[in-house]
Amino acid sequence: MADITGQRRRDSRLLLLLVALTAYSVLLLAAKTSADLMASWLAGHFHAIGAMDQIYPPDTDIFTMHPPSDWGPLLAARGYEGAVFPFIYPPFWVVLLSWITPFTTPEGMIWLASLLNPALMFGMVMLALRLTNLPAEQRFLAAVTALIVLFFSVGGTIALIQNQPQILVSFLIVLAIERDRANRPLAAGTALAFAAALKLYPILFIALWAAAGRWRSVRWALVVGGGLGLASLLLAGWPLHASFLQQTLLISRTAMMTPLNYGLDSLIGNLAFGSSAIPIEQYTIGSTNGVDIGWQILPKPLWWRLASVGLLLATVALPAWRIAQGKADARFLWPLTIAAIAFFSPLSWTYYYLPLLAFTPLLFEKIPPRRLLLALSPLLVTYLVTLIHSIGSLSDNPLIHGLFLTLMTNPYAGVITMAWLFALFVYAARKT
């Protein structure tokens, strides 16, 4: 009876924490200028009015991350101020969005997303928690710790501000892993198929299921994924798919250097080719308060592109081999594989690592809580510095302002923090 009462008390506290985190997202982070989600509304809008040349970016030689030509004037006429980013998701979602946009506004979609996204991030942690073998008391500590790391890290904060669709992708990936472990292959395969229909790379995770002999999950992922692909072709037509594939090819041929791109391409570009990089100014409507906002890009030569593909394949092959040989705990290989694929992908935005953060509860099995909490603290440093810097009386302090600029503009800070978390998972995996 005492155990049941204690569990109810912990569940109530977690529910209150969800409410608090949702309020935090809606009241403090949600912005009418969630440029990433705004791109989804704009793509659906232009598809609805038949402007097929205004859905995907106009780039033909290299990916600049500039939007189609008519997006800026439309947003300016609506009184929008802020960044404008392109839409680079598969055509299936363009068609679905085109059915919705005539009855919605960008602001309404952003407000709804700011309510749903905290629940999806909360759900990610709860799903990951199911994979642990922790006692009840430690499960509560692990859940709270993971939620703090997920919501208040740079990746989680930016994802919530931008209402990034990657939150849904990350949730579906974690859901697929948890459902497969619970021997629910239909749900697992369906979740992974929808994740791959949003972002292509989750299809690579099928290799880990195949290595573990989880053939029913593999079959359902392929069946549902094939159905979604066929529906996409029937609904959107081939020309729109050709435009999408062209942009995907351009992205794979481009190295983009920005402090929020935590990938190998960005790292190599900054270390070895920074002087020859092409500066790109962010497409912005309204004032930037005198701040130069943008990024740098490089065309990737053939050897670089081939190396990127090889590293991605190796990233999947190595954990699949370990699983097939029964030499490692697959629970730890999943977050390591997700992080490695993010790192070797052409674009590796900070929020691509959300599943890695969500799997933090697993670390409590192998690392004593006090040591682990201390080890995780660097992940929150950037957020805390940003929060302190936002206080008017402190933003002019040279030390705080200098630290803020260093953390937010340093191209290596994010990579180092994710590498540190990756190392913690490697350490835990080796203790199995």
Side-chain angles (χ1 to χ4, degrees):
M1 188 67 173
D3 290 343
I4 295 175
T5 302
Q7 185 60 48
R8 288 177 177 173
R9 187 182 299 114
R10 287 187 287 270
D11 290 344
S12 299
R13 289 173 180 173
L14 286 174
L15 183 60
L16 288 174
L17 183 57
L18 171 60
V19 172
L21 291 171
T22 302
Y24 161 77
S25 172
V26 173
L27 299 176
L28 297 181
L29 297 184
K32 294 181 179 179
T33 57
S34 292
D36 287 347
L37 187 61
M38 180 77 73
S40 298
W41 188 91
L42 287 165
H45 166 77
F46 280 105
H47 186 277
I49 64 175
M52 300 302 174
D53 62 332
Q54 294 297 311
I55 295 172
Y56 290 109
D59 300 329
T60 56
D61 298 318
I62 192 169
F63 182 68
T64 64
M65 211 162 72
H66 278 174
S69 58
D70 290 355
W71 286 24
L74 173 64
L75 289 175
R78 294 180 61 92
Y80 173 89
E81 289 189 357
V84 186
F85 298 136
F87 179 85
I88 50 175
Y89 294 89
F92 179 74
W93 305 104
V94 178
V95 176
L96 295 187
L97 288 163
S98 71
W99 299 342
I100 298 171
T101 50
F103 309 101
T104 62
T105 63
E107 295 79 12
M109 184 180 290
I110 289 170
W111 181 82
L112 179 61
S114 68
L115 286 175
L116 294 178
N117 282 331
L120 291 175
M121 290 173 64
F122 183 89
M124 261 191 274
V125 172
M126 295 302 106
L127 289 168
L129 196 64
R130 290 183 178 182
L131 303 179
T132 66
N133 299 315
L134 297 170
E137 297 80 5
Q138 204 165 1
R139 284 167 63 88
F140 178 75
L141 175 62
V144 172
T145 301
L147 288 168
I148 291 173
V149 168
L150 186 61
F151 274 80
F152 297 102
S153 63
V154 176
T157 300
I158 291 178
L160 288 169
I161 290 173
Q162 292 292 342
N163 282 298
Q164 239 296 323
Q166 185 66 31
I167 295 176
L168 176 58
V169 176
S170 299
F171 173 81
L172 289 170
I173 291 172
V174 179
L175 176 63
I177 297 167
E178 188 277 333
R179 289 291 80 194
D180 175 71
R181 299 280 298 188
N183 200 28
R184 295 292 185 270
L186 172 58
T190 300
L192 192 65
F194 271 92
L198 280 161
K199 288 283 190 179
L200 301 180
Y201 74 88
I203 200 68
L204 295 172
F205 299 135
I206 285 181
L208 274 65
W209 280 346
R214 312 294 293 179
W215 294 111
R216 288 194 298 166
S217 294
V218 170
R219 283 195 292 270
W220 278 116
L222 293 176
V223 168
V224 176
L228 289 172
L230 180 60
S232 184
L233 281 170
L234 292 175
L235 290 171
W238 173 248
L240 207 56
H241 284 81
S243 297
F244 168 70
L245 292 175
Q246 169 67 13
Q247 290 304 310
T248 302
L249 184 62
L250 286 181
I251 291 172
S252 71
R253 293 177 174 178
T254 306
M256 178 172 290
M257 286 88 78
T258 164
L260 296 180
N261 188 3
Y262 293 1
L264 181 63
D265 283 356
S266 180
L267 195 61
I268 292 175
N270 281 302
L271 288 172
F273 303 103
S275 60
S276 57
I278 304 168
I280 301 294
E281 185 178 352
Q282 176 180 283
Y283 190 105
T284 305
I285 299 174
S287 173
T288 60
N289 295 320
V291 179
D292 292 329
I293 302 176
W295 41 85
Q296 295 177 306
I297 59 174
L298 277 170
K300 292 166 61 176
L302 180 60
W303 67 265
W304 192 341
R305 300 201 301 270
L306 292 176
S308 296
V309 173
L311 287 169
L312 273 175
L313 293 177
T315 295
V316 177
L318 179 59
W321 174 77
R322 296 277 293 177
I323 289 173
Q325 296 294 315
K327 293 182 177 180
D329 188 338
R331 296 178 305 156
F332 290 89
L333 288 179
W334 274 105
L336 288 171
T337 305
I338 292 169
I341 287 177
F343 181 67
F344 291 124
S345 295
L347 285 179
S348 182
W349 299 114
T350 173
Y351 37 75
Y352 281 21
Y353 294 88
L354 291 182
L356 179 68
L357 298 170
F359 275 106
T360 301
L362 280 175
L363 297 176
F364 279 84
E365 284 191 16
K366 306 299 178 181
I367 304 174
R370 289 184 180 179
R371 287 173 56 192
L372 180 58
L373 294 175
L374 180 63
L376 291 173
S377 59
L379 300 176
L380 304 177
V381 168
T382 302
Y383 178 83
L384 292 175
V385 170
T386 304
L387 181 64
I388 294 171
H389 184 267
S390 67
I391 301 174
S393 60
L394 296 176
S395 61
D396 294 330
N397 182 286
L399 178 61
I400 293 175
H401 185 66
L403 184 58
F404 170 77
L405 290 178
T406 299
L407 290 173
M408 294 306 292
T409 63
N410 189 293
Y412 312 115
V415 174
I416 291 171
T417 55
M418 287 302 102
W420 174 244
L421 183 58
F422 186 89
L424 290 176
F425 273 95
V426 171
Y427 172 77
R430 290 175 65 87
K431 293 187 67 176
T432 58

